[in-house]
Amino acid sequence: FQYLKRFDQGCDLDMFCYEALSVEGSPAECLQLFLLHCGIVDPSWAELRNFTWFLNIQLRDCEASVFCNPDFVQDTLKGF
């Protein structure tokens, strides 16, 4: 949710890192963003769960990768 919210606001996500246990927005806002970005017109709860699970894994791996670390790559992969 934190990434999708900032993405919709046009923020630079290269320097953002997920903050565990922090709460942002309401459950309704969270669900609205998931519905907007999941790519399915009328998703089931299982499809929403799979979307959020997959996105979470991808973003966690991205944050852990040295190749996505802005301090390591500096400006060579801006916006990647």
Side-chain angles (χ1 to χ4, degrees), residues 3-72:
Y3 273 97
L4 291 177
K5 182 178 178 182
R6 284 163 179 76
F7 176 77
D8 277 356
Q9 294 171 343
C11 297
D12 180 14
L13 298 176
D14 290 341
M15 298 303 291
F16 177 71
C17 197
Y18 168 71
E19 299 173 30
L21 304 177
S22 68
V23 177
E24 294 184 15
S26 67
E29 183 182 11
C30 181
L31 180 58
Q32 184 178 20
L33 276 178
F34 289 159
L35 288 169
L36 180 66
H37 289 281
C38 78
I40 300 172
V41 176
D42 187 19
S44 67
W45 285 111
E47 290 167 327
L48 280 177
R49 183 215 171 269
N50 289 337
F51 167 71
T52 57
W53 174 79
F54 179 76
L55 183 61
N56 186 50
I57 297 256
Q58 296 299 307
L59 292 171
R60 189 178 338 149
D61 289 348
C62 179
E63 284 184 355
S65 172
V66 68
F67 297 106
C68 296
N69 183 335
D71 295 328
F72 177 74

